[in-house]
Amino acid sequence: MAIKKIVLIDFNKVEFKTSEAPYIRKEDLKIINSDKNILITDISCKDKSYTITLASEINIKCLSFLVYKNVSYKILYSKLYEAESFNKKYAYSGSLGCEYSKHSSTFKLWTPAALSVKLLLYKKCSLESLKPDFIYDMHETSGVFNIKIGGDLSGLFYRYEVNVYGNINLAVDPYAKAVGINGILGFITDIEKTSPEDFKNDTLSWNKSFTDAVIYELSVRDFTMDKNCFSKYPGKFLGLTEKNLKTSEGLSAGLDHLIELGITHVQLMPVFDFSYTSTDERNPVKYNWGYDPQNLNAIEGSYSTDPYDPINRIYEFKELIMAFHNSKIFVNMDVVFNHIFSEKDNNFEKIFPGYYFRIDETGKYTKSSGCQNDTASEHIMMKKFIIDTVLYFVKEYHIDGFRFDLMGLHDTDTMNELRKELNNLKKGIMLYGEGWDFKSNLPENKKASIKNSSSMPTIGHFNDAFRDTIRGSVFIKNDKGFVNGKEGLENKLKNVCAGSIKYSKEMSGLFNSPSESINYFSCHDNNLLWDKLYLSNSSDSEDNRKKMHKLCFAIMFLSQGIPFISEGDEFLRTKKLDSNSFTAPDSENQIYWNLKHKNHDVFQYVKSLIDFRKNHPAFRMKSAEDIIKNLKFIESPKGSIAFELTNHANGDTFKDILVIFNANKNKISLKPASYEWKNVKELNPSKIESSQIEIDPISCSVFYR
Ligand code: CA
């Protein structure tokens, strides 16, 4: 008979299951903890599930085993970490990591599992040999190992030696604010001294609605690698601080391009310290997006001009933030808390094996992310780590928003608590992420996914319904959407244009508020729009595909919700049809600035759409009630939709606005009830006004009165 799923559910309670249901007496079993036999006081059975009560508590610093018929089974502790008794005994709400002052430094590491922890200090951080120059024993208080060391420690590197479950592990502090080359050691410094002059006077804050934002996703490396933008710091943080970058055709590039385009927020792909196995900071020739976090409170070194100097990367990243803020562009950060790149070789696991990750009842680490170990945000100290880290980036780096990678893997409580903490700290911080529905051991109603958006107010989600309705599935190459020729999508399109709120009985109502819908049609993942249209519409002319591309942008900027651009889409960027370029070379990933010249008409069109949206609050309504009240769909031919935004919606200067999206390859005409509609010249420059409204093939027209 097999005994399985043996878990500690409280300090003195073990649960296990059997494949059959024989009678097991307590005399048949032994529980061994720390080489000692623990007395069993009671055993109960329901179906094939047994609960054992112990006379004394299990010491979690040692492994435990259940012995039955001379076979020994390891008892899993992961369930205990959800128990109230565990949190009562060990949860710690104070600050962790290294707290530096000129006179002393205090180090705190949370690991109730460790038998002992040593602090190792190093004068140098060398990849060739690492020998600590000073070693200190740390003292434990309820799971927190701490030590205070007198003197000015700035300039020294550090890590911990953790004695846990029979292993001696060397780990970098997860709270390390600065790190040495390739993130192999933490660094002690006066963080105040890592800021450019005037950084403390950088007080930009977003005091508008989230629906007023226009997000632009970019990779630090991609944006200035191309020789044709003449950056002095190609691929570096400083490349994004350079003003007056111009292409050989005389067009603005880099930061100036973003200012010209008119976006409000950049979303930076990973800038926290990512794994050296992805990109070696010493010689960063190997390309990687960076979705494999290593030191989440520290900054990536391959984007700095001197990765050996731990302060340099912080300083230059802050320069980047200043450059954006001085240009009135807000900076959102892509954060990846949902997985760590290696099952065993990561600091969390070396410090407290099994605590920070989800483990199923058979003892396996779950990997729903598809990118290695899923973290356990529902465990109180992982939740604290996420919240502490995000708040730190707001306070120390003046970050304005956070995009949560695979947010659906986290739990709603963590995201809501973070939202609350952010609101207390500073107004206008954006919080949004990928609310995909993953398999996880969370209860269905606790997943931070789109389907639970109503229990996570003012947290945004990437709207895949918007994306797929407009241009077809990202997973089926030749699948089409509204703009590229699929029929019967009119109602779905109406739904997403209305911010995916519950506009009417027939509509799905993904969100309670338009500020929760991140409207997008491409991002770093999957095919870019221009590549997608090539794959789905290869028989169409390039001219038609260009029209489809422009129509996508028109729908996005004239819809309710928050628009999101993927770098270079505004001038038909291509990645040679690659749908996953995370390790592809620069030659594929970098922005080719000559495309801005080649497809300048598309760029100009996107720019006019952004201008128009910014000038017209009717497209940026703040609530579902406003949308229901002011947005009216009107009849139009098949393959098109038309709506009016009425009554000076959201304080618009126009009384009414009429928008028509025509995906047909022929002209359509509308006979609106009134003949007073005037053409919006910024968007339809060639249109002649007449009593009958005609819409060109695959295009958008906007009118007002
Ligand atoms: Ca790194």
Side-chain angles (χ1 to χ4, degrees), residues 273-275 281 300-301:
D273 177 35
F274 50 84
S275 163
E281 295 175 355
E300 169 59 18

Side-chain angles (χ1 to χ4, degrees), residues 530-548:
W530 187 236
D531 287 348
K532 163 72 183 175
L533 291 172
Y534 181 84
L535 292 166
S536 60
N537 293 64
S538 51
S539 57
D540 276 284
S541 66
E542 190 172 305
D543 191 46
N544 267 356
R545 279 188 275 119
K546 215 179 198 182
K547 285 179 183 159
M548 293 166 186

Side-chain angles (χ1 to χ4, degrees), residues 182-183 273-276 279 281 294 300-302 313:
N182 276 347
D273 177 35
F274 50 84
S275 163
Y276 60 87
T279 302
E281 295 175 355
Q294 184 171 258
E300 169 59 18
S302 63
R313 58 181 77 187

